[in-house]
Amino acid sequence: MSTIIEFREKGMYQQQKSREEHASSAASFCKEVTELHLTSIDSQPATSRPEFKGVTFRKASTGGFARSRNDVHELLDCTVCMNLMHPPIYQCANGHTLCSSCKARVQNCCPTCRHELGNIRCLALEKVAESLELPCVYQNLGCIDMFPYYSKLKHEKNCKYRPYNCPYAGGECHVTGDIPSLVMHLKDDHEVDMHDGCSFSHRYVKSNPQEVENATWMLTVFNCFGRQFCLHFEAFRLGTAPVYMAFLRFMGDDNEAKQFSYSLEVGGNGRKLIWQGIPRSIRDSHRKVRDSHDGLIIQRKLALFCSGNEGMELKLKVTGRIWRVR
C-alpha cells in the first residue's frame, strides 16, 4: 500500500515539476520579448516620451538581445511556407500560427495539431512585429538599410539593388541579375551584337514585309560613356496601321537613364524622320515601352517608300547618337 502511495506521490511531483518547467520556459521567453520591447523604447530620448519620465528601463545584454531578436524572428516564420508572416496572422485554438496565404490553402485545418483553424487573429504577434526592424532581402547585393517590419516588402519592390530582368526582346527570357552579368548573358546566351561608341548606323532588312505583322529584330547593345544601351527595332500594328518602331533602353535605373539623351533618324528617297528622347530604363519591359509609343515610329508604307525597290523589300537605315545631358 505504501509503495502505491509512494508511486502516486512521485507521479504527482513529476507532473508538478513539468508544469513548473513549462511555466518557467514561457516566463523566460516573455521576459526576453519584454526586454526586447523595452530596449527599443529605451533607444528613444526619455524627454520625447513624457509617459515614461522618471522611469529607468533596463537594457538587455548584447547576447540576450540578439537571442531574443532571433527568437521573435523565428516566431514570425510561417510554419507552412517558412516565409515571414504579415497581417493578418492567424492562429488555431492551441496557438499555432500561420500566414494568411497558407491559411487559404490548408482547408481550415491547423497543419500542426490538425484542429479547426477558424478566424482567430494573433494580435499579440502582429503587435510584436511592429517593433522589429529587418534588413532588405537584397542585403547581399549591397542594400545596407534596415526597415520596419511592415515597410520591408514595400521597399523591396523598388529597391535599387534588386536584380534586373534580361532586356532581350526576342523571347520570354527569365534570367535576372546585375548589369555586368546580364551583359555577359546577352553576349554568350543570346549572341547579341555588341558595339563600342555613342554613334551608330544600322540597316534593317526584311523580305516580303507585307506579310509580316509582328516581328522583333535582333537586339543591339552599345557601350557608351561606360554604360550599356539597348537598341530595339520591332514591327507591330498601331490600331489597324502596320508600323515599325525603334527605341533605346538604358541598362540601369530610371534616375540614371535621365542623365542621357539620344536621337534616331530614318530616311531615304529624299525623306527623313528624326526622333529625340530619353532612353527608358530596362526596369520597364520592352513591351511597356513599345506600347507607350516612346520612340521613333514610322508607318510601313513610308518605310517601304524610303527603302525603294517598289515596296518589295524593307531596307531601312536607322542612324543614331547618344549623349550625356548632365
Side-chain angles (χ1 to χ4, degrees):
M1 183 68 176
S2 60
T3 304
I4 296 175
I5 292 174
E6 183 181 345
F7 283 158
R8 287 180 179 174
E9 289 178 347
K10 186 176 181 181
M12 291 172 64
Y13 170 75
Q14 288 177 341
Q15 290 178 3
Q16 181 180 358
K17 185 178 180 181
S18 176
R19 286 195 297 266
E20 289 174 352
E21 288 176 350
H22 180 74
S24 175
S25 176
S28 174
F29 175 75
C30 290
K31 180 181 177 182
E32 289 186 356
V33 172
T34 302
E35 287 184 350
L36 168 64
H37 182 59
L38 293 181
T39 303
S40 67
I41 293 175
D42 189 57
S43 64
Q44 304 179 22
T47 54
S48 67
R49 300 182 63 85
E51 65 271 31
F52 294 120
K53 281 187 177 180
V55 179
T56 302
F57 294 108
R58 180 170 63 86
K59 287 187 178 181
S61 64
T62 304
F65 177 80
R67 186 174 65 255
S68 300
R69 183 173 58 185
N70 290 336
D71 288 343
V72 175
H73 286 186
E74 289 178 5
L75 280 176
L76 290 168
D77 287 340
C78 175
T79 55
V80 179
C81 64
M82 302 307 294
N83 293 324
L84 288 174
M85 295 185 289
H86 293 81
I89 299 175
Y90 290 97
Q91 65 176 10
C92 71
N94 291 324
H96 302 125
T97 57
L98 75 166
C99 68
S100 56
S101 298
C102 290
K103 180 181 181 295
R105 299 203 305 264
V106 298
Q107 299 178 349
N108 204 37
C109 177
C110 175
T112 303
C113 65
R114 317 308 297 176
H115 279 73
E116 184 178 354
L117 276 174
N119 291 301
I120 306 173
R121 291 275 292 275
C122 187
L123 300 179
L125 198 55
E126 292 180 6
K127 193 68 176 177
V128 169
E130 292 179 0
S131 66
L132 295 181
E133 285 195 343
L134 300 174
C136 174
V137 70
Y138 304 119
Q139 185 181 45
N140 62 328
L141 298 179
C143 186
I144 61 174
D145 295 328
M146 300 288 289
F147 300 92
Y149 186 77
Y150 294 138
S151 302
K152 181 174 177 286
L153 288 181
K154 182 178 180 181
H155 157 78
E156 289 170 354
K157 290 180 180 178
N158 299 292
C159 178
K160 67 178 182 179
Y161 293 99
R162 71 191 190 278
Y164 294 89
N165 294 321
C166 173
Y168 190 73
E172 294 298 327
C173 181
H174 300 290
V175 171
T176 63
D178 58 14
I179 298 303
S181 64
L182 285 182
V183 170
M184 293 303 299
H185 164 67
L186 289 171
K187 181 179 179 180
D188 297 338
D189 299 330
H190 295 297
E191 299 181 347
V192 303
D193 293 331
M194 299 279 185
H195 297 277
D196 294 325
C198 299
S199 299
F200 51 87
S201 177
H202 254 58
R203 185 179 297 274
Y204 296 95
V205 179
K206 189 70 176 178
S207 58
N208 301 321
Q210 301 285 357
E211 300 176 3
V212 178
E213 297 294 338
N214 292 280
T216 300
W217 275 257
M218 177 64 74
L219 181 71
T220 306
V221 176
F222 298 96
N223 297 306
C224 176
F225 297 109
R227 306 306 298 266
Q228 290 74 38
F229 300 80
C230 301
L231 177 62
H232 296 262
F233 189 77
E234 299 189 20
F236 63 101
R237 278 192 171 273
L238 184 57
T240 58
V243 299
Y244 298 100
M245 180 176 176
F247 57 91
L248 208 65
R249 285 200 295 163
F250 172 76
M251 295 188 70
D253 279 331
D254 185 61
N255 61 330
E256 298 177 292
K258 293 176 181 177
Q259 300 174 12
F260 301 93
S261 189
Y262 75 101
S263 64
L264 295 174
E265 180 179 313
V266 61
N269 252 349
R271 276 76 176 169
K272 182 186 292 185
L273 287 176
I274 300 176
W275 160 267
Q276 180 174 320
I278 298 172
R280 295 281 286 271
S281 165
I282 60 171
R283 295 288 189 199
D284 293 333
S285 68
H286 82 283
R287 185 176 296 277
K288 181 178 180 179
V289 179
R290 189 196 73 179
D291 292 346
S292 66
H293 309 154
D294 190 7
L296 173 65
I297 297 177
I298 178 172
Q299 292 193 4
R300 185 167 67 187
K301 287 184 178 180
L302 179 58
L304 294 178
F305 183 79
C306 293
S307 300
N309 300 317
E310 298 181 354
M312 300 300 295
E313 185 179 27
L314 175 72
K315 288 185 178 180
L316 201 61
K317 183 180 179 182
V318 177
T319 60
R321 182 172 69 90
I322 304 168
W323 64 92
R324 190 187 292 275
V325 178
R326 53 183 177 183

